[in-house]
Amino acid sequence: MPASTKRAEPADDAVRPPKRVRVDDTAEQSARGADNTDTPKQTGTVPDGGIEEDEEDVASARRTQAEPPKASDLYLDTINRAVLDFDFEKVCSVSLSNINIYGCLVCGKYFQGRGRNSYAFAHAIHDDHHVFINLETTKVYVLPDGYPVSDPSLEDIAFVLSPTFTPASISTLSTAAHLQRPSYDLSNKPYIPGYIGLNNIKRNDYMNVVIHSLLHVSPLRDHLLLSNYRGKEPELLKRFAGLAKKLWNPRLFKSQVSPHEFLQEVNRASAGKFSLEKQGNPVEFLGWLLNHLHKDMGGTKKKNSSVIFSTFQGEVRMETQQILVRPDTGANEKPRFDIDREIKSTVSPFLFLAVDLPPPPLFQDSVEKNIIPQVSIQSVLAKYDGQKTQEFAGHLRRFKCQRLPPYIILHYKRFTKNQFVEEKNPTIVNFPLRGLDFREYLDAPASHPPTVYDLIANITHESAAGTTHDKDSTVWKVQLRAGAGGGENEKWFQIQDLIVEEIRKEMIVLGETILQIWERRPENASPVDGMDLDKA
């Protein structure tokens, strides 16, 4: 009897567990949201400890199904970094839509979506290209399967698409240490981030020089490099920040950048005034861009309401008085301010200072070549000494600066229009590269910041010889300072479209300068005879 009782116990146990398992299964399904399991649990002859092991196996199987083990490795070797170019506008190559765009990492083309009816899905099937990157999120997927890929070898592609910077990484961009750490592109060609060519797509070189100059102004550059525009910010601001990050990217695949994406938005925002297809004036583009960026950054009419105003905005006082012809005035005597009559004074903000050049000579020399006059920068800046007068619309005017910004933009008025042609003034301006003192042109208290400035950017114009502005033969170049402090710690590079070359300091003053950006020297800077050493 005891033996038969023991033989009956397994039969009873074999009947009971299924009932208990059904109850547990029901509870599990309700707790997991009725999650479907591919392998049913058969625990009728398994101890309680075996149930937990089966659950772990099922969970492991689920993870394996969700993330196939190393299946993506089959396609990662098809990626061709040499054809990847993320500089152009991110629109589908078939539908021309800019919504939910993916880039094929095999051929470099852009396609919309990754669902079964998408163009990227069709491209994956027809062309046998399987690895795609979302141009917005930088996530990589394998199509047509549709599963994500997370592999450390793809990090360099994500960084080229969307570079990121930290305060530590940008702290040395304007120092001599930046010159000592060159980067290398895919072809192992060295380049210095920030001093690389911008592609001249058609006739946009006049915009390229302005872009280069602004992106070497430290406060504006650092603000853009540390930005993370992912929300509803204006498109122009987001694209300009993206261009700044590409220009200073130390991990580029090729040592040049195309501003196509930013310039397309410039064309739209300016209603076609600044386009890729026709030559323009960099001064007009600079004024438009600064005001547009100020507005996009939330700036108002108040001082320091944006990084644009805090960096470039100063104040100038203009005094005006009506001209009266007096009977005792000589024939060759110029009008002058009369202290006995009312003088109207107004203080206005400025983003750049315009300086006038003396008129060129009317006659040619003995060898039938134009005489090119030369003037010093102090003589043309005398316009702002508060004593030199100008006649304009029956009034006398004189100017004096009231507040100088950290960065001064000077515009040399080289072009004038008459009824027939646009004339060019070929006068050469001599200027130092370091140590230009603006104290003489400033009427401010002693508490005003230092007035000694160093040059950081110089935009020059080249065209056919003569006094007529020939737009067809116009070439724009920009000369940029690398490093700081003068001497061996400072170099200069000249950039014309894709051509980047180091230039001797003595050669900088020989061009027909249009725009300059001057940087205020810090108070704690050690006195260097830069004005003598680097003077041409």
Side-chain angles (χ1 to χ4, degrees):
M1 290 295 292
S4 64
T5 303
K6 288 182 181 180
R7 284 193 299 271
E9 283 177 359
D12 294 338
D13 290 339
V15 175
R16 287 173 188 162
K19 295 181 181 179
R20 179 169 56 82
V21 170
R22 282 197 297 269
V23 174
D24 292 343
D25 286 347
T26 306
E28 257 187 39
Q29 289 178 1
S30 62
R32 296 185 180 179
D35 190 12
N36 294 328
T37 305
D38 295 333
T39 56
K41 292 183 179 137
Q42 298 179 359
T43 55
T45 58
V46 179
D48 291 344
I51 297 177
E52 295 180 359
E53 294 177 359
D54 283 356
E55 288 177 349
E56 290 179 352
D57 293 340
V58 171
S60 175
R62 287 175 181 167
R63 286 194 298 268
T64 303
Q65 292 170 0
E67 301 178 7
K70 299 295 181 182
S72 59
D73 292 348
L74 299 174
Y75 303 114
L76 292 188
D77 60 348
T78 65
I79 295 176
N80 186 1
R81 286 169 172 79
V83 300
L84 299 184
D85 189 349
F86 301 120
D87 294 343
F88 290 91
E89 200 164 14
K90 296 173 175 58
V91 296
C92 176
S93 59
V94 181
S95 66
L96 300 183
S97 171
N98 62 352
I99 300 174
N100 195 24
I101 302 302
Y102 288 78
C104 176
L105 297 184
V106 181
C107 65
K109 295 181 180 179
Y110 295 167
F111 298 96
Q112 185 179 18
R114 61 184 176 90
R116 286 188 168 276
N117 296 324
S118 67
Y119 296 111
F121 190 91
H123 178 72
I125 294 177
H126 296 158
D127 292 67
D128 201 25
H129 296 173
H130 298 285
V131 191
F132 292 79
I133 186 169
N134 186 301
L135 300 183
E136 184 70 24
T137 65
T138 70
K139 292 183 179 180
V140 179
Y141 297 87
V142 168
L143 298 183
D145 304 51
Y147 56 83
V149 178
S150 179
D151 193 285
S153 66
L154 302 175
E155 194 271 337
D156 62 330
I157 299 177
F159 194 89
V160 170
L161 173 59
S162 181
T164 55
F165 294 83
T166 63
S169 65
I170 66 174
S171 60
T172 60
L173 294 183
S174 298
T175 65
H178 182 63
L179 296 174
Q180 300 169 1
R181 294 194 299 267
S183 299
Y184 295 87
D185 59 12
L186 283 180
S187 59
N188 208 30
K189 177 184 176 182
Y191 72 94
I192 300 177
Y195 302 88
I196 58 178
L198 285 176
N199 189 20
N200 185 5
I201 301 169
K202 199 166 186 182
R203 302 299 298 274
N204 57 280
D205 53 342
Y206 74 99
M207 293 190 276
N208 289 352
V209 293
V210 171
I211 292 169
H212 262 303
S213 300
L214 289 182
L215 293 183
H216 282 79
V217 175
S218 299
L220 178 59
R221 176 200 66 201
D222 295 350
H223 177 83
L224 295 172
L225 293 184
L226 296 177
S227 64
N228 184 23
Y229 297 129
R230 296 287 184 180
K232 298 182 179 179
E233 294 87 359
E235 191 67 22
L236 183 78
L237 179 59
K238 289 195 286 188
R239 296 195 181 189
F240 192 54
L243 180 58
K245 294 177 182 180
K246 291 176 182 177
L247 192 71
W248 288 94
N249 187 354
R251 298 166 60 183
L252 289 173
F253 288 163
K254 58 183 186 301
S255 57
Q256 64 189 54
V257 172
S258 175
H260 180 269
E261 193 173 11
F262 170 67
L263 297 184
Q264 285 287 83
E265 184 60 28
V266 167
N267 187 33
R268 282 192 288 266
S270 65
K273 181 177 181 180
F274 304 105
S275 70
L276 308 174
E277 301 178 355
K278 58 183 180 181
Q279 192 62 257
N281 190 330
V283 179
E284 295 179 0
F285 175 65
L286 175 63
W288 177 88
L289 182 59
L290 288 179
N291 284 283
H292 217 87
L293 290 175
H294 168 71
K295 181 181 177 182
D296 289 350
M297 291 177 177
T300 62
K301 293 183 179 180
K302 296 181 180 179
K303 290 191 299 184
N304 300 329
S305 57
S306 76
V307 67
I308 299 294
F309 273 18
S310 63
T311 303
F312 299 110
Q313 190 186 57
E315 292 179 346
V316 62
R317 183 186 71 235
M318 181 177 68
E319 296 178 339
T320 59
Q321 187 180 65
Q322 188 176 5
I323 299 176
L324 293 180
V325 180
R326 299 172 58 179
D328 57 343
T329 303
N332 296 326
E333 187 177 350
K334 292 184 178 181
R336 62 180 183 270
F337 275 84
D338 188 351
I339 59 175
D340 296 330
R341 295 190 293 114
E342 179 186 5
I343 298 177
K344 185 179 179 181
S345 178
T346 58
V347 176
S348 305
F350 68 85
L351 288 178
F352 48 80
L353 293 173
V355 292
D356 304 308
L357 298 177
L362 298 177
F363 303 100
Q364 296 178 333
D365 62 8
S366 57
V367 292
E368 299 297 324
K369 291 184 178 180
N370 285 332
I371 300 174
I372 301 179
Q374 299 186 31
V375 296
S376 68
I377 190 172
Q378 287 82 4
S379 65
V380 294
L381 284 176
K383 172 183 178 180
Y384 296 98
D385 62 5
Q387 299 177 3
K388 188 175 182 179
T389 61
Q390 290 182 337
E391 295 183 35
F392 180 76
H395 287 75
L396 279 180
R397 302 189 303 183
R398 61 188 180 191
F399 303 90
K400 189 100 177 194
C401 295
Q402 300 293 103
R403 179 174 62 88
L404 295 177
Y407 290 81
I408 297 177
I409 301 177
L410 293 183
H411 161 219
Y412 296 89
K413 300 174 70 174
R414 198 169 288 278
F415 304 117
T416 55
K417 292 182 179 180
N418 57 31
Q419 296 180 351
F420 306 102
V421 295
E422 184 176 10
E423 295 182 344
K424 179 192 68 174
N425 190 330
T427 301
I428 300 297
V429 180
N430 294 320
F431 52 86
L433 300 185
R434 305 186 71 252
L436 179 61
D437 196 344
F438 283 80
R439 171 63 65 181
E440 184 181 349
Y441 320 110
L442 179 67
D443 185 10
S447 60
H448 191 278
T451 58
V452 178
Y453 286 75
D454 300 328
L455 186 66
I456 63 169
N458 184 53
I459 296 177
T460 62
H461 164 271
E462 291 183 8
S463 63
T467 57
T468 302
H469 184 200
D470 184 6
K471 291 187 177 181
D472 293 334
S473 63
T474 293
V475 173
W476 298 99
K477 298 180 180 180
V478 61
Q479 292 143 359
L480 301 170
R481 187 189 75 188
E488 296 298 325
N489 295 326
E490 182 177 300
K491 292 183 179 181
W492 282 83
F493 290 93
Q494 179 172 274
I495 302 178
Q496 177 193 346
D497 300 333
L498 298 179
I499 303 173
V500 181
E501 55 188 2
E502 188 175 351
I503 184 174
R504 294 178 59 185
K505 298 175 182 178
E506 297 83 3
M507 304 293 292
I508 294 176
V509 299
L510 300 181
E512 298 177 359
T513 297
I514 298 290
L515 284 167
Q516 288 180 334
I517 301 182
W518 294 82
E519 177 186 47
R520 174 183 288 148
R521 186 178 294 182
E523 295 185 26
N524 56 358
S526 58
V528 180
D529 295 331
M531 190 164 180
D532 297 328
L533 290 175
D534 297 337
K535 186 175 180 180

